[in-house]
Amino acid sequence: MAKIHEVAEAAGVSISTVSYALSGKRSISPATRDRVERAAALLGYEPNAGARMLAGRRTQIFALTEPFRPDTHAPTHMSFVLATSIAARRYDYDILLLTDAEASAGMRRVSASGLVDGIIVLDVAPEDDRVALSRAIDVPTVFIGVPEDVEGLVCVDLDFEAAAALAVDRLADAGHRRIGFVGHPESAYARSNFPPRVRRGVEQEARRRGVAVSAEYPGEGDERHRDIREAVRRLIDDGVTALALHCDDAAHSAVLAELAAAGLSVPADMSVVSIGSSFDTSSFSTPLDRIPLEPESSCELAVGLAARMADGESVEPGVRLTEPRYQAFGSVSPPR
Amino acid sequence: MAKIHEVAEAAGVSISTVSYALSGKRSISPATRDRVERAAALLGYEPNAGARMLAGRRTQIFALTEPFRPDTHAPTHMSFVLATSIAARRYDYDILLLTDAEASAGMRRVSASGLVDGIIVLDVAPEDDRVALSRAIDVPTVFIGVPEDVEGLVCVDLDFEAAAALAVDRLADAGHRRIGFVGHPESAYARSNFPPRVRRGVEQEARRRGVAVSAEYPGEGDERHRDIREAVRRLIDDGVTALALHCDDAAHSAVLAELAAAGLSVPADMSVVSIGSSFDTSSFSTPLDRIPLEPESSCELAVGLAARMADGESVEPGVRLTEPRYQAFGSVSPPR
DNA sequence: TTGAAAGCGCTACCAG
DNA sequence: CTGGTAGCGCTTTCAA
């Protein structure tokens, strides 16, 4: 725990020179900078966080608010947390967790105490009380996800509607006229902000392209695996020649299992595309084309915006959607 | 962002009185305390975090280091993060996330900068470089999980061996002489610290009680569901009359599905116990007896210890194991 | 290009 | 039981 004073002494300069040499906030002669850096490294100097906050009015901490709802999909959520945390470090920020009751109440607390320079909001619900909170506090806030009311907010997300449309387009381009959609359990469409956007994207693009869609929303819990296989069976009986999936990896596995059980091969007998998946669809027994979720893109963008706002730059409110990307792994071909 | 000065003025007292009235660190007349609290509430006063750290040499922040390994089981991990975060707030601490490369490097950084008062280590590997790091830094560190070399460390965890033994005992008590064990994929036994402890517990207690054990470690990935069902089939053919499970919820579902497919009912034809599960085994189609993981116990204990150490109390190094608890839901009965 | 020094807002010691 | 005040270790003016 060396202090700036000791570094200054060791380098034979004043403490302000040490501060400037290390922060780069004013020009320092190469020789001096070098001496300072050497001394700092030698002593293992790390500026005291508290002193820095107090004097510099910047904490280099972002709060990450995540309610951890019971129906949150843990693996996907984890990849968002990870991506945010990594992006934050690139901008020299640490992440402070606000969960459970503190997801909301903590926003007020940490902004009032000046503990954080910005707030990143995860796991956004259509009607989210953190929307009103973000307007009430004076700390820059960025939403990853799009709530109902976005007035004055800075939001970032994958363009799920475009992603869904892209999936439908690829299938329609290949000549499919009747496709099946396997979505999340019905309950997810009220609680979360993005499943409805995928559904809407599929429906609208299908209408535009003259493609018929049969949708299935297999349930949760114990019987899920069976539910999904029954849903796939119904879609096969319906005569669909392609499937668009927006569900978790276990559901993907179940779909593939049922196709195999029905003696259908991909893509010869059934084309399959995965929409907004955060897991690796290329390592399934049958690699699947996908439009990936890519939390890294949204999180990087969100953290970058938060950093700019924390620097006092003004950022235009609005919803920033990242463009979907199509990854082909050979699971789509023309229908038989 | 009211400051202590304004609160003092509003309450008609000195700033030191405000500080003491709010912290309770010296006795204050009820009348004065009341005036101060009213003024603070009215102004929405929240002590400035940076100033507090600098003057008080306490940050009220714990770092939580979690590498997010690729094979980390996300739902279980999330429940540990959540439990730690909630426990921390009860002790008036916030949680700072250290993930990815920062899980290790960050420990040094945040302790050198005085950003945190303590460190909680999650997702402990048998050979974990955070063990050496924790010895090199001067910030109190508590491990949730037990690494190979625990010399001088403060560790907290469920007593997995006792949990496994408890499961075997209950089955043996019911009269079972031949039981099946469904564990994690083989790879988990090298990477993680607790699966080997469960395996050891099962083996030792089975030997002690004269019970035969057939063990299965079904694989990962796409074909997992099928793997598990085949494993269960083998165990049935082996003539086991009871199963002890130490695997994730999807695997539990697959096991139940295979039992149903084989025409076996629980517990009449097959008794089943779940060991160290973090999910709710009582809401399966067949409720299962379990010895729950209960992250809350370990996390509460870990945070409590960290808080005491941060207060300067000396805490005896050593491994503190929490006692397993048996929850019966009617899935165990004597063999036919 | 460098140095001196004035705070940042609180905690905790020393008086009374 | 209460008030005054000296720092905590840095950042950032103001001077040179």
Side-chain angles (χ1 to χ4, degrees), chain A residues 1 47-50 53-54 68 74-75 78 81-82 85 89 94-97 99 109 112-113 222-223 225 284-285, chain B residues 1 47-50 53-54 68 74-75 78 81-82 85 89 94-97 99 109 112-113 222-223 225 284-285:
Chain A
M1 291 260 224
N48 177 277
M53 290 185 200
L54 188 55
F68 275 143
M78 255 180 63
V81 173
L82 182 59
S85 171
R89 283 309 304 155
D94 273 301
I95 293 293
L96 190 95
L97 263 196
T99 65
R109 182 174 58 81
S113 68
D222 198 11
E223 303 294 347
H225 199 266
F284 282 117
S285 52
Chain B
M1 292 260 224
N48 177 277
M53 289 185 201
L54 188 55
F68 274 143
M78 254 180 64
V81 173
L82 182 59
S85 170
R89 283 309 303 155
D94 273 300
I95 293 292
L96 190 94
L97 262 195
T99 65
R109 182 173 58 81
S113 68
D222 197 11
E223 304 293 347
H225 199 264
F284 282 117
S285 52

Side-chain angles (χ1 to χ4, degrees), chain A residues 54-117:
Chain A
L54 188 55
R57 296 86 212 290
R58 325 192 59 296
T59 68
Q60 303 295 12
I61 299 174
F62 285 148
L64 184 68
T65 139
E66 41 170 15
F68 275 143
R69 307 179 207 286
D71 55 315
T72 300
H73 186 242
T76 305
H77 187 84
M78 255 180 63
S79 56
F80 273 94
V81 173
L82 182 59
T84 303
S85 171
I86 293 176
R89 283 309 304 155
R90 275 206 298 279
Y91 288 88
D92 201 30
Y93 280 91
D94 273 301
I95 293 293
L96 190 95
L97 263 196
L98 260 24
T99 65
D100 199 58
E102 284 292 296
S104 296
M107 283 176 68
R108 182 160 264 135
R109 182 174 58 81
V110 298
S111 72
S113 68
L115 219 200
V116 305
D117 295 334

Side-chain angles (χ1 to χ4, degrees), chain A residues 279-298:
Chain A
F279 43 88
D280 178 17
T281 60
S282 73
S283 62
F284 282 117
S285 52
T286 306
L288 299 180
D289 285 19
R290 67 165 180 162
I291 296 131
L293 180 54
E294 303 188 295
E296 302 76 20
S297 315
S298 301

